Amino acid sequence: MLIALLIPLALAIVIYASVLVRAAIARRARPTAEALALGAVVNFFDTFGIGSFAQTTAWMKFRKMVPDRLIPPTMIAGLTPPAMVESIIFLILLGVRVDPVLLFGGAMATFAGGIVGAPLVVRSRAWIVQMTVAIGLALAGIAFVLAIAGKLPAGGTASGLPMGLTIIAIAASFVFGLLANFGVGNYAPTLAMLSLMGMDPHYCFPIMASGASLMGAGSSIRFVKVPEIDLRIVVGLTLGGIPAVLVAALIVKYVITVVVFYTAVAMARASIKGHREGRLEGATGPVAAS
């Protein structure tokens, strides 16, 4: 199942990358500095499961980078390539430990929801998109508050679910994929749902990331062809996000490992030094007493 998921994911990466590059070249889209910085920041924290849609939407709205109606498609088109990098990393690190039916089914259901939702967001009236995004931001804000307060489910230790819950999770993933086109990220709801069902939160990451990648690729192929989409922002989010994901997912892990080994060496040296000083004190003690 892992190989079966990696194959469509690899195809999605190749196809969407070629579409995005051709579109960027055709429109001579040079990334803006603001989009590069935004992509780097939101994708760095996205790698840790915080999500990127709410923060990106809020910043684009605050800065008036694009019209409200175009925020979801612009954001999805730009954040999909970094999500693809995340998915590959998480699948390699954790994918083999996750129930293959849940992993494959959840990812493909999110992809199917994205395909269904893509034309809806393009054709929707501005107020519908605005209201959907407002609801998504409100839910994300509630999730952040609950996380800070320690009220979100800590999750269990399972790497899979019973068949009944697996079917429910796959069906819900379809809905999350559909809503993602309107700027409602799938990370937070997927993580909360699977954790409540008893899964280890770490094993949710391959499901979330691979689903977001496939959904984003399927939707974004349509989005980048929309003339109103500002590809300078799309390319900026992409080029700023991919290095940030690699830093967060790989380099930080190595830094932590180095710190652990450094601490171990420092403690060992302190222990040896203390042992030597103890022996010296023991040896000189009787002499001093005599």
Side-chain angles (χ1 to χ4, degrees):
M1 280 292 187
L2 183 58
I3 299 299
L5 182 57
L6 284 172
I7 291 174
L9 183 58
L11 290 174
I13 291 174
V14 172
I15 293 173
Y16 180 54
S18 62
V19 171
L20 179 58
V21 169
R22 287 201 304 267
I25 293 175
R27 299 193 203 177
R28 297 181 180 179
R30 295 183 177 180
T32 65
E34 184 176 11
L36 284 167
L38 179 61
V41 172
V42 299
N43 282 287
F44 180 85
F45 291 105
D46 183 66
T47 311
F48 295 99
I50 297 175
S52 58
F53 276 22
Q55 302 91 317
T56 306
T57 300
W59 185 262
M60 286 185 171
K61 175 70 176 176
F62 172 72
R63 292 283 298 159
K64 295 182 172 58
M65 293 177 69
V66 297
D68 291 351
R69 182 179 65 86
L70 297 178
I71 289 178
T74 303
M75 175 175 60
I76 293 171
L79 297 180
T80 290
M84 290 174 167
V85 176
E86 283 183 39
S87 64
I88 295 295
I89 293 172
F90 288 135
L91 284 172
I92 293 174
L93 294 178
L94 300 170
V96 294
R97 303 179 186 179
V98 182
D99 173 49
V101 176
L102 179 60
L103 176 61
F104 184 81
M108 297 308 294
T110 306
F111 169 64
I115 294 297
V116 173
L120 298 180
V121 70
V122 173
R123 300 172 186 172
S124 296
R125 296 181 179 179
W127 70 268
I128 296 177
V129 177
Q130 290 168 332
M131 181 57 66
T132 305
V133 172
I135 294 172
L137 288 174
L139 294 175
I142 293 173
F144 291 151
V145 172
L146 292 176
I148 294 172
K151 300 298 184 181
L152 281 181
T157 58
S159 59
L161 299 172
M163 184 54 64
L165 291 179
T166 297
I167 294 174
I168 294 174
I170 292 174
S173 295
F174 175 85
V175 178
F176 297 155
L178 191 152
L179 292 176
N181 287 281
F182 291 87
V184 182
N186 71 309
Y187 272 36
T190 302
L191 182 61
M193 175 188 68
L194 295 178
S195 297
L196 283 170
M197 291 179 174
M199 279 194 66
D200 186 323
H202 295 90
Y203 296 143
C204 301
F205 279 79
I207 301 172
M208 298 185 302
S210 56
S213 298
L214 292 172
M215 178 282 301
S219 302
S220 299
I221 289 174
R222 177 189 294 267
F223 291 154
V224 296
K225 297 178 182 178
V226 176
E228 294 86 358
I229 295 293
D230 190 344
L231 287 184
R232 296 176 304 164
I233 298 176
V234 171
V235 175
L237 291 175
T238 294
L239 296 182
I242 291 177
V245 168
L246 295 174
V247 169
L250 300 177
I251 296 180
V252 168
K253 295 181 183 295
Y254 293 132
V255 169
I256 293 174
T257 303
V258 170
V259 170
V260 170
F261 279 116
Y262 172 80
T263 305
V265 171
M267 292 298 292
R269 290 181 60 186
S271 176
I272 294 171
K273 181 179 180 182
H275 178 67
R276 289 176 177 174
E277 291 176 351
R279 290 181 60 185
L280 289 175
E281 289 178 0
T284 58
V287 174
S290 61

